[in-house]
Amino acid sequence: MNRRLASAGAALLLAAVAFAGVAVAQDHLLRLTPPEIAALNQGGATAGTSGVTGIRTTVLYGDPTKAGPYTIALQVPPNTRIAAHGHRDDRTAVVIAGLWRFGYGRKADAALVKALPPGSFYSEPAGVDHFAMTGPEGASVYISGYGPTSTDYVEAGDAPKP
């Protein structure tokens, strides 16, 4: 009898855990069209961004200030320069629109830039310094990582002032 009770209890526990897993997974289901993304709350400098004036940031998923996965959308205006900086988390990104000029290094050097058109993918490994710039067309980029994130400028004087 005790074995049957234990088995029934274990089965109920497994069912509850499975159900809770489905409920949690349901909370993370997300499908957004471009108009729905445009309607989300947009801000300026937020966690995981360069903090450069004029860049609009939208959190698409998660919270970059907390542990866990996140995705942010950056809309970078024309003729913007972002000085060399790094992040404490590994990140990947996809260029959505415009032309994103991206490079790795401790100084924003045009010779190190690769022009990335829409559909391009790149990585920002944790602690690896990088920089970016836009031309007359600006750019939109989706960046994903696992927070909490940070933005650490190579030269403290390059960090945007609030």
Side-chain angles (χ1 to χ4, degrees):
M1 185 75 149
N2 284 342
R3 268 194 176 158
R4 282 187 192 176
L5 268 171
S7 293
L12 282 173
L13 180 61
L14 285 173
V17 168
F19 179 75
V22 169
V24 168
Q26 296 284 335
D27 289 344
H28 295 290
L29 298 178
L30 191 60
R31 295 174 289 182
L32 298 171
T33 63
E36 291 167 331
I37 291 169
L40 292 173
N41 186 25
Q42 297 181 5
T46 62
T49 69
S50 63
V52 172
T53 301
I55 295 176
R56 291 185 307 174
T57 305
T58 304
V59 176
L60 299 175
Y61 182 81
D63 183 343
T65 67
K66 297 179 180 169
Y70 67 88
T71 300
I72 56 177
L74 302 181
Q75 291 182 321
V76 186
N79 305 311
T80 299
R81 296 180 63 83
I82 302 171
H85 63 282
H87 308 281
R88 67 180 178 192
D89 59 320
D90 289 319
R91 298 157 43 123
T92 58
V94 175
V95 179
I96 303 301
L99 189 62
W100 189 234
R101 294 157 173 91
F102 183 86
Y104 299 104
R106 295 186 53 78
K107 185 173 182 169
D109 180 350
L112 300 175
V113 165
K114 182 171 187 175
L116 302 173
S120 297
F121 174 88
Y122 67 95
S123 65
E124 298 177 359
V128 172
D129 297 319
H130 54 275
F131 54 91
M133 52 193 76
T134 61
E137 64 287 313
S140 293
V141 181
Y142 288 3
I143 300 173
S144 295
Y146 194 90
T149 190
S150 65
T151 301
D152 309 302
Y153 277 88
V154 171
E155 298 290 333
D158 289 337
K161 312 298 183 262

